[in-house]
Amino acid sequence: MEFLMDRRKFLAKSSAIAMAAVVAGPFEGAAHAAVQGKPAAGNGYGPLTAVPDLSDGQIRLHLPKGFAYRSFDPVGSNFTEGGTIPGYHDGMGAFRGPRGTVVLVRNHEITWPLGAFGDPEKAYDPMAPGGTSTVTVTGRGEVLHTAPSLTGTLMNCSGGRMPWGSWISCEETINGPDVANDYSGLPNARFAQKHGYLFEVPVTSAVKPRPIRAAGRFTHESAAYDPHTGAVYLTEDNYNFASGFYRYIPPRNPQTTGRLLDGGRLQMLAVRGEEGKDLSLGQPQHARYRVAWVDIDDPDPTYTGLPANDAAVNAVGDQGRGKGAALFARLEGCVYHEGVVYFVSTQGGATSEGEKAPSGFGDGRGQVWAYDTVTSELRLVFESPGSMTLDLPDNVTTSPRGTLVVCEDGGGDNYIRGLTRSGCLFDFARLEPVSGDPGAEFAGSTFSPDGGTLFVNVQSAQGRSFAIWGPWQRGGF
């Protein structure tokens, strides 16, 4: 019997949260500002200026006055006990370590069949180069220990921090030896295992890779756990096609078992009374929708005869859409906070006047959505009126004050931006362009458990991680 808390008990325990959501709700100002196309300004930290990296004096970030940073674990540097740190640092979670340290579990989004990093005997698939590394650092980014923790997985994009002491790492692909090659043309036949799953990584040790197959085989992006219901909410970034918002209901409460068990139930969000609602489009003022959930009957399809990659990448989502599930444009980051799951639609919304629509599914510059797990209501938090305001939001987390921390994935300058509960959007950091890699972007933002340090990655062939600290009390974070 799958674990999902009785609704009446949940509502009773969450009455304070529910009342706040019904009466006013967080981000009401943001939703209003978004539909008006005039995001409020304020609650920031002032103008951004070039700040030298304390690791070597190079300029890599532009930050407000009073903030400092140190980068660490660049591509090609060494793990503590040997081996090379891979590139494309992506999603990341921060956990409390011993004696005031922080333990980071960090994804590496690598997709080519080039072989696993770390010990090949411990790899899920010896030809898959993605996975996670685990790093123990001080609050000032000084590395004490770093090691591989999940190896032999593929295109580990983002994931989610779990309160029982684990990171859920998500594979953003369905490649494997049973499907035809994807857009890259690289040989899927070289892989030994199917990909497209969730993997759990305990913070205390390396993991024997074990896919959670019942949570679906699709282009997973992020995961957010709701401690009141036991459900894990999942985003899908299906670049060229419609994406879905899912939840996985495990067979037993993970906070009791200490891990996320396979064998549960996968569901997909639908809008009540509006089958196949296309939420990737520009939204009306104060957009709100009542939600239903439809079951995915076959979350882990078995393929024969090498189906086309495009058919395989849509196999799970098409089951939900066949039952009326809603359509989104490229769902990426998601995070749980006080009874609400916030998630990002990178290309949601209407095409801005005077701007060309981005490639892939979705014509907008980004939306931020909120699903209230108490009232089962979905509402629009923010819809970008243009790339100069917010350009293709990607990873997202919350600050200690509940402000959303949004990483951009746009084509020009990339920022970390804050979106406060009162609707103020502000710039916090700008990435100095990475020489030879115009696609470099922020990813994996996560605050230390004490709230004193913001850790973030730059995803790039020359990627690295950063620790940022300063006078947080002066602004919205």
Side-chain angles (χ1 to χ4, degrees):
M1 180 178 182
E2 67 256 321
F3 172 78
L4 190 62
M5 182 178 284
D6 180 85
R7 194 73 181 167
R8 288 169 294 180
K9 293 180 182 178
F10 178 33
L11 288 170
K13 287 189 175 185
S14 307
S15 59
I17 297 172
M19 184 61 68
V22 171
V23 174
F27 296 98
E28 285 295 315
H32 180 74
V35 295
Q36 296 296 324
K38 298 177 181 179
N43 292 98
Y45 293 87
L48 309 184
T49 58
V51 179
D53 188 337
L54 291 178
S55 71
D56 60 7
Q58 296 294 309
I59 301 296
R60 294 189 172 94
L61 300 181
H62 297 245
L63 296 170
K65 183 179 179 180
F67 283 87
Y69 69 96
R70 176 180 282 107
S71 72
F72 56 95
D73 274 9
V75 175
S77 57
N78 292 327
F79 289 116
T80 301
E81 297 171 13
T84 302
I85 294 172
Y88 295 95
H89 305 43
D90 206 309
M92 184 165 64
F95 301 82
R96 195 175 302 278
R99 297 179 297 279
T101 62
V102 179
V103 179
L104 302 170
V105 184
R106 177 183 58 211
N107 280 0
H108 296 277
E109 189 185 10
I110 311 173
T111 188
W112 311 288
L114 301 175
F117 67 91
D119 185 349
E121 296 297 320
K122 297 178 180 179
Y124 168 70
D125 183 336
M127 288 307 300
T132 67
S133 53
T134 297
V135 193
T136 302
V137 295
T138 69
R140 298 296 182 259
E142 297 154 319
V143 175
L144 304 175
H145 188 271
T146 182
S149 47
L150 171 70
T151 62
T153 53
L154 196 61
M155 207 169 179
N156 298 74
C157 196
S158 192
R161 180 186 180 278
M162 301 294 118
W164 56 90
S166 290
W167 168 257
I168 297 296
S169 185
C170 299
E171 290 187 308
E172 191 193 3
T173 181
I174 49 79
N175 282 350
D178 60 334
V179 298
N181 299 341
D182 65 11
Y183 64 93
S184 71
L186 295 171
N188 272 347
R190 296 187 67 185
F191 293 116
Q193 300 284 352
K194 300 191 302 180
H195 294 274
Y197 301 111
L198 305 184
F199 289 82
E200 184 169 5
V201 186
V203 70
T204 55
S205 63
V207 65
K208 180 180 180 180
R210 187 180 291 113
I212 303 170
R213 299 182 187 278
R217 185 186 183 191
F218 57 86
T219 51
H220 286 279
E221 177 77 25
S222 290
Y225 176 72
D226 175 9
H228 298 289
T229 64
V232 179
Y233 291 86
L234 305 168
T235 56
E236 176 184 33
D237 183 6
N238 197 359
Y239 186 85
N240 285 316
F241 306 96
S243 296
F245 185 59
Y246 300 79
R247 70 179 182 185
Y248 175 63
I249 304 169
R252 293 179 62 194
N253 183 352
Q255 294 193 93
T256 300
T257 61
R259 64 188 181 96
L260 186 63
L261 297 178
D262 204 351
R265 183 156 50 114
L266 182 67
Q267 298 179 318
M268 198 170 176
L269 180 145
V271 174
R272 288 187 182 274
E274 298 186 70
E275 287 196 8
K277 179 70 173 179
D278 190 348
L279 297 176
S280 73
L281 305 175
Q283 294 296 302
Q285 187 173 358
H286 307 304
R288 294 174 180 264
Y289 301 98
R290 296 293 296 170
V291 163
W293 294 91
V294 299
D295 288 334
I296 302 298
D297 297 322
D298 185 10
D300 183 22
T302 298
Y303 301 120
T304 58
L306 287 182
N309 203 277
D310 284 355
V313 83
N314 285 301
V316 169
D318 280 350
Q319 294 178 55
R321 287 184 285 273
K323 295 181 178 182
L327 282 64
F328 292 93
R330 298 193 57 207
L331 296 187
E332 299 208 55
C334 68
V335 63
Y336 172 89
H337 184 74
E338 295 183 351
V340 178
V341 178
Y342 300 98
F343 63 97
V344 166
S345 171
T346 294
Q347 293 181 194
T351 304
S352 306
E353 185 177 351
E355 291 190 326
K356 182 181 178 181
S359 60
F361 189 90
D363 295 334
R365 290 290 163 177
Q367 299 165 325
V368 181
W369 292 92
Y371 173 66
D372 191 316
T373 63
V374 179
T375 63
S376 296
E377 181 182 72
L378 177 70
R379 63 183 181 273
L380 180 70
V381 167
F382 190 87
E383 183 171 298
S384 178
S387 60
M388 296 302 291
T389 300
L390 182 64
D391 193 18
L392 306 184
D394 191 333
N395 282 190
V396 64
T397 191
T398 52
S399 77
R401 295 185 185 179
T403 298
L404 289 180
V405 184
V406 183
C407 296
E408 281 190 328
D409 185 12
D413 287 340
N414 277 272
Y415 288 83
I416 296 174
R417 290 194 158 107
L419 181 60
T420 70
R421 297 167 73 91
S422 61
C424 297
L425 186 72
F426 62 86
D427 298 339
F428 173 72
R430 179 170 70 84
L431 177 64
E432 179 74 10
V434 177
S435 177
D437 195 349
E441 64 187 75
F442 285 117
S445 58
T446 180
F447 271 93
S448 60
D450 67 3
T453 305
L454 176 64
F455 293 96
V456 69
N457 295 319
V458 167
Q459 189 202 63
S460 166
Q462 305 170 48
R464 60 186 64 221
S465 299
F466 294 80
I468 306 171
W469 63 91
W472 300 112
Q473 72 281 359
R474 280 195 346 222
F477 287 158

